[in-house]
Amino acid sequence: MAGSNVDEISNPGFQLNDVPLVRADTLPIGANEDLPVIGDQPLEILLRDHQVKHKSGRPEDHFWSLKLLLHILSRGRVLAELERYPNLENISRYLDVIRPDHDQELCFNTRIQFETLGTEHSHAPASSSQTYLRTFALLVYLGRGSEIASFVEEEISDQNLPVYTQEGPQNNATLCLKKNPHQPLNSVRHWSISDREQFETRQWQFLVPYFDLENGSLARHYKFNPRIRFPWFPSSSQPLVQPGGYGDVTCIKIDSLSHGFGEILEKFSLKQEYFALKMLHQAGHNDETKFRNEMEQLQRFNGFVNKHLITLLASYTYENKYHFIFPWANGNLETFMTEAHVKKPILTVTTARWLAQQLSGIMAAIDHIHNPEHLYLITEEQKYGKHGDIKPDNILWFQSTSDPMGILVISDLGLSTLNRAISRSNIPNEKVPKVPLYRPPECDVTGGTISRAYDIWTLGCLFLDVTTWYLGGCALLNAFEETRCSTYILTGGDNNMFFELERLDTEDRLVYVAQVKPQVISWFTKLHNHEDCTQFIHDALKIVETQMLVIISEGTERASSKVLRKQFEGLTSKCMDDNQLDYCTKGIPLEYKPEPANVVKVELNDAAREMIARNHSAIPIHTRKTGEKIRNSRSRQDMENIDRIH
């Protein structure tokens, strides 16, 4: 990509299940493709009978994919068609450039005049490698197949399509190649204006793009002409548009012969029928910088690294708007936990193992972002990433062909960043929305940033919500949200965040303390005492309470993703052990005594102070408990550089 550091955006040779994922940049015809049965009629009739018909019903919206053309225009049928033209000499020459022999060239270059952002991506072959399959199909469709010789002579090849209209004298429009925009094509000089218009219009129905991953693992970026025909249809059985924070998502069904994603989705055990098309919002997000950032993060951190990370399949620019294509998710974590069939999960060994695998898998995925060791092979430089927006909306639920409960996948890397070890500057906390559900305390503290420690807090909130749902379904989850609802001093309104700010009862009215809400601490006791709380859940809750939902202070910090990953993988290993079934199936309620509250004296940042003043917020006074120790916050410099310490 132009203007980018190649070392920073390249992907290594990924492996899945220890098998290298490498694919040639070609378009083979698979043995099990969804191809029609073709009869013995002339090619013109076959092309009309076997076009992909768009749901709109308009003939101009129908199209022919490249794989379909390869199937219809077999070498034998092309030869038979050429032999019908009495004035065509040296038939073998034209046969070889229209439909090369299998021994010579089975596959054709699939990228024809499609470009990456700022970089030529078509790699059009030299003159001797020009192919004419699409050109010939278009001529046959228009009843002009016999004129293929003049098109070959003038190199109006697949690689040089589309042709463009140039207005000539007396409004006599002529056709030109893009590389010679002022040179009218001799091959169509004798055509009528309407025939030239037909050729220029119909060509787009034969130039539909084929989408595939580069080298089997890296999403390609395309830049499309405004007149391109896309090989997909809106889904009739899924929600058409799902609005999101950074873009709207549409469910589409891509023509099965117009993409090569089937093998990858099969390896990830994902269903293949539908895809998600995300268009970035115009306001604030549909710009090249934000697009590049999200695309580069999606290329670095995807399902090839960890199956719990969303996999970008393709991206493109169309009419100055940026788009992404992903596998279609059946919902997000929030909808999954409130759907009728999972309102209260049935607690079996299968369900317990599923939960353990999802928690450890998500933690491993975050660790891949925080410590992207798969990138060290490329740059030989240690780098660190962070997500910055972990919440139920951004954890997608996919139906899986290998697990009836599906799989949870982290999405929306729009805020994520990757920094060098020597300069891990973080996004200032002022950039964060004021009252997100999982907002950590450092968002209101001087020097606080969106850091890796920020991700650990938000993930701790998520895991506590998920384990609550696991023990009592959405009814218990709703009760937890109501229990921790309180007034947020910055806005004066109710919120159900996991921490609270109070003012110390001192002469200095600007001294505040932050602590995990007492209702949240009490909730841990409630869950430990739940009749269905197994030792597995006890262990998971203990990790969340003591290592994730921690107010950062002098002498205290949240555990790193690397440490937490190892711990959750240990829990999963016990759950998967057939000799320890009681570990994850036998409820053992405990009279649990929570850890002493971690109360931290903090200095609010300017944004927080401004909101308090603007909203005239009533600030509660902190009531000190017997034996309570109030810790000091870390210095501004330490908070700004928390990733150096974390």
Side-chain angles (χ1 to χ4, degrees), residues 506-519:
T506 66
E507 293 182 1
D508 186 352
R509 298 179 59 84
L510 299 180
V511 178
Y512 296 85
V513 292
Q515 65 178 349
V516 176
K517 285 183 177 179
Q519 301 94 321

Side-chain angles (χ1 to χ4, degrees), residues 616-636:
H616 306 288
S617 302
I619 305 170
I621 303 298
H622 176 70
T623 303
R624 298 190 66 164
K625 300 178 181 62
T626 303
E628 177 181 271
K629 180 181 179 181
I630 297 180
R631 299 175 181 271
N632 290 321
S633 177
R634 293 189 179 177
S635 68
R636 175 172 187 157

Side-chain angles (χ1 to χ4, degrees), residues 85-98:
Y85 308 146
N87 297 327
L88 189 65
E89 299 179 355
N90 196 3
I91 287 178
S92 62
R93 175 195 176 193
Y94 301 111
L95 176 63
D96 287 340
V97 296
I98 296 170

Side-chain angles (χ1 to χ4, degrees), residues 308-325:
H308 292 274
L309 289 169
I310 192 68
T311 299
L312 176 66
L313 300 174
S315 63
Y316 65 88
T317 308
Y318 175 67
E319 293 186 335
N320 296 319
K321 297 183 180 69
Y322 299 106
H323 302 74
F324 298 106
I325 298 176

Side-chain angles (χ1 to χ4, degrees), residues 219-408:
R220 289 193 177 101
H221 180 79
Y222 304 87
K223 186 176 182 180
F224 289 126
N225 188 291
R227 298 183 64 184
I228 197 72
R229 298 287 196 280
F230 290 110
W232 55 64
F233 322 100
S235 166
S236 58
S237 60
Q238 302 288 342
L240 291 183
V241 178
Q242 294 181 350
Y246 301 104
D248 293 336
V249 179
T250 304
C251 182
I252 59 174
K253 187 172 183 178
I254 305 179
D255 169 49
S256 62
L257 298 179
S258 298
H259 72 83
F261 302 136
E263 180 183 346
I264 299 305
L265 297 179
E266 183 178 354
K267 287 182 181 293
F268 292 152
S269 300
L270 299 180
K271 296 190 174 182
Q272 304 173 20
E273 190 172 7
Y274 298 107
F275 297 86
L277 176 61
K278 176 181 177 180
M279 182 182 73
L280 296 187
H281 283 158
Q282 282 288 92
H285 298 291
N286 190 47
D287 66 66
E288 184 175 333
T289 300
K290 288 185 172 62
F291 165 74
R292 281 180 180 274
N293 176 64
E294 185 164 359
M295 183 177 71
E296 290 172 9
Q297 304 313 317
L298 288 165
Q299 288 178 332
R300 293 183 181 113
F301 308 115
N302 55 43
F304 297 104
V305 178
N306 184 288
K307 67 179 181 179
H308 292 274
L309 289 169
I310 192 68
T311 299
L312 176 66
L313 300 174
S315 63
Y316 65 88
T317 308
Y318 175 67
E319 293 186 335
N320 296 319
K321 297 183 180 69
Y322 299 106
H323 302 74
F324 298 106
I325 298 176
F326 302 97
W328 174 253
N330 302 88
N332 58 37
L333 180 57
E334 183 175 12
T335 59
F336 173 75
M337 292 191 295
T338 56
E339 287 291 334
H341 66 286
V342 290
K343 278 189 175 180
K344 189 177 189 306
I346 300 172
L347 303 187
T348 65
V349 63
T350 300
T351 312
R353 286 173 170 174
W354 177 85
L355 176 64
Q357 290 172 328
Q358 302 312 303
L359 295 182
S360 63
I362 290 173
M363 182 55 71
I366 290 298
D367 186 46
H368 276 299
I369 295 175
H370 286 190
N371 305 288
E373 295 178 0
H374 63 286
L375 298 181
Y376 300 171
L377 299 175
I378 302 169
T379 64
E380 296 183 354
E381 179 184 14
Q382 196 172 13
K383 295 191 176 185
Y384 299 84
K386 54 226 172 203
H387 185 281
D389 199 21
I390 297 169
K391 56 186 178 181
D393 288 354
N394 288 341
I395 306 294
L396 301 180
W397 174 67
F398 288 86
Q399 288 184 347
S400 171
T401 58
S402 61
D403 191 324
M405 291 195 67
I407 182 173
L408 299 179

Side-chain angles (χ1 to χ4, degrees), residues 414 436 460 568:
F568 277 100

Side-chain angles (χ1 to χ4, degrees), residues 337 465-466 468-469 472-482 484:
M337 292 191 295
D465 272 350
V466 172
T468 297
W469 164 82
C474 62
L476 191 61
L477 184 59
N478 291 337
F480 181 35
E481 291 183 357
E482 292 175 6
R484 68 175 190 267

